[in-house]
Amino acid sequence: MQELLYLVIPCYNEQEVLPETARRLAQKLGGMAAAGTISPHSRVLLVDDGSRDGTWQLIQQLHRQNPLFSGLKLAHNRGHQNALLAGLMAAKDRCDMAISMDADLQDDVDAIDRFVAEYQAGSDIVYGVRSSRASDTPFKRNTARAYYRVLGWLGVEIVPDHADYRLMSRRALEALSQYGEVNLFLRGIVPLIGLRSSAVAYERHERFAGQSKYPLKKMLAFAIDGITSFSVKPIRLITALGVVIFGASLLCLGWLLLTKLFGYTVDGWTTLMGSIWALGGIQLLCLGILGEYIGKIYQETKRRPRFLVEEFLQSGDIPNIEEDAACSKEDQ
Ligand code: UDP
Ligand code: MG
């Protein structure tokens, strides 16, 4: 029996790129269904993450034209990770495997065949790994590399150069649904699931149209989430730092007493001011790190829903493969 594939695409203000993305995905899935690689009931699930532009109208239109497209509308903008989770959870009971990818065509659509081949060879999770970072700015490339190194050092198990382009089997999705955390960092959670996994290398392109929805501020918040959701090492570092500084201050005290005893009452203004500032800074930094974890605990204890579905569009009809051009220019 052919296996049913869901492509889960989070979309936030993606009206510029969505028609082209839909066209290419319809072509791809149509081709695969025709070749018998996947079930003809396979779907593209477009998750509207509370967009403010015409994204949802576009999704409705695509759904009307071709049953291949399903739509899920979140009541608010909940961010990429939550939108992705919402889509994966909607797909969980309807598919045999789900592939998550971005709406902007940065992820190579042609890698889907290799994902499915890995799945058929027995993998429950297939990670899409970027073969090069040539399409990134040097800033992003270097910060990403340093970030992966820090994560590894902190003991967070993560697949380097893997974003959220991945295939998960129904079994893996079932496991994912049992992770109840509110601070989502899927790249950290998925490797925790275990099961059999493999990787597929792909070339990441430039965004096809529209603008990145990840400004530096959001990216930093995401990076901090990745560390604080998976590692308590920073807190331990604070303790270690405290011990070192306490030791140093004891030495300093001894030295002060000695100088006092031998009569050198040095004016010591610089040292004094220096240490006040340095210690103040370190204390604030440590408080900040602690606060970060306490904030996390606060959010987790509230157990708020991670997303709220406003509408779900799904048709039981078999998609018409010939109609895959249905979402071309004239529909925009
Ligand atoms: N996205 C989302 N909600 C958000 C921000 C982004 O669903 O609040 C989606 C976006 O539509 C895209 C994917 O997440 O499909 C990745 O975003 P983007 O391409 O802007 O990030 P970048 O590739 O620049 O890191
Ligand atoms: Mg992108």
Side-chain angles (χ1 to χ4, degrees):
M1 205 187 78
Q2 294 144 342
E3 313 252 22
L4 211 148
L5 168 71
Y6 262 62
L7 283 184
V8 178
I9 324 276
C11 311
Y12 178 57
N13 297 344
E14 297 286 11
Q15 66 178 14
E16 286 104 344
V17 76
L18 209 51
E20 178 63 16
T21 308
R23 194 186 63 76
R24 291 215 205 155
L25 293 179
Q27 217 167 36
K28 182 88 226 163
L29 290 203
M32 289 174 81
T37 329
I38 55 169
S39 154
H41 288 281
S42 296
R43 292 277 181 276
V44 176
L45 175 57
L46 300 162
V47 183
D48 174 24
D49 185 18
S51 299
R52 289 194 200 119
D53 63 356
T55 299
W56 181 244
Q57 286 69 23
L58 213 57
I59 294 175
Q60 284 175 315
Q61 197 181 19
L62 287 167
H63 171 72
R64 273 196 305 274
Q65 285 160 352
N66 190 345
L68 173 73
F69 295 102
S70 295
L72 185 74
K73 180 171 168 36
L74 299 192
H76 295 283
N77 175 235
R78 298 293 292 124
H80 177 211
Q81 299 288 293
N82 285 307
L84 199 52
L85 185 76
L88 291 174
M89 291 304 107
K92 176 170 72 83
D93 300 321
R94 298 180 166 90
C95 70
D96 296 303
M97 55 183 151
I99 296 180
S100 50
M101 68 188 289
D102 289 353
D104 54 8
L105 292 173
Q106 282 194 280
D107 302 327
D108 179 17
V109 173
D110 290 321
I112 293 176
D113 300 279
R114 287 183 284 141
F115 275 89
V116 173
E118 287 291 336
Y119 167 83
Q120 282 162 347
S123 290
D124 276 290
I125 300 172
V126 186
Y127 298 102
V129 175
R130 299 176 61 168
S131 50
S132 89
R133 284 194 163 259
S135 64
D136 278 356
T137 58
F139 173 74
K140 190 156 182 184
R141 198 160 45 230
N142 289 320
T143 46
R145 196 171 300 146
Y147 181 63
Y148 285 121
R149 206 167 296 150
V150 170
L151 277 182
W153 179 68
L154 290 173
V156 184
E157 193 189 333
I158 200 158
V159 180
D161 290 331
H162 159 67
D164 283 298
Y165 192 19
R166 78 176 80 81
L167 177 146
M168 293 177 80
S169 68
R170 191 189 179 123
R171 194 151 68 120
L173 291 173
E174 199 62 60
L176 178 66
S177 71
Q178 291 173 26
Y179 286 77
E181 53 213 273
V182 174
N183 296 287
L184 263 192
F185 186 71
L186 288 170
R187 276 167 233 189
I189 298 176
V190 175
L192 293 181
I193 293 176
L195 297 175
R196 200 168 138 185
S197 66
S198 55
V200 159
Y202 74 99
E203 196 70 53
R204 192 162 163 99
H205 309 296
E206 302 277 350
R207 190 175 239 284
F208 183 78
Q211 301 231 313
S212 170
K213 273 78 195 175
Y214 263 102
L216 189 62
K217 203 170 130 209
K218 257 197 197 175
M219 200 134 69
L220 274 179
F222 186 55
I224 292 175
D225 252 0
I227 293 176
T228 53
S229 297
F230 289 93
S231 173
V232 288
K233 257 198 185 163
I235 286 192
R236 301 219 179 101
L237 279 179
I238 293 179
T239 324
L241 200 66
V243 171
V244 170
I245 289 178
F246 182 65
S249 65
L250 281 184
L251 286 178
C252 191
L253 195 69
W255 178 69
L256 283 177
L257 284 176
L258 278 179
T259 47
K260 184 90 181 154
L261 267 179
F262 291 101
Y264 306 109
T265 33
V266 210
D267 34 273
W269 172 250
T270 334
T271 347
L272 188 66
M273 287 314 279
S275 39
I276 288 176
W277 282 97
L279 280 178
I282 290 170
Q283 280 173 355
L284 279 182
L285 174 75
C286 295
L287 277 180
I289 297 181
L290 281 177
E292 188 65 37
Y293 282 94
I294 293 171
K296 287 253 146 83
I297 297 171
Y298 175 60
Q299 282 171 350
E300 298 291 349
T301 49
K302 281 190 292 196
R303 296 232 142 262
R304 284 191 180 163
R306 292 171 291 181
F307 51 82
L308 288 171
V309 173
E310 187 173 319
E311 210 175 326
F312 186 44
L313 298 175
Q314 169 94 329
S315 149
D317 300 344
I318 296 188
N320 186 346
I321 294 168
E322 272 73 50
E323 262 185 40
D324 66 17
C327 25
S328 60
K329 290 280 177 258
E330 71 216 57
D331 311 320
Q332 292 172 37

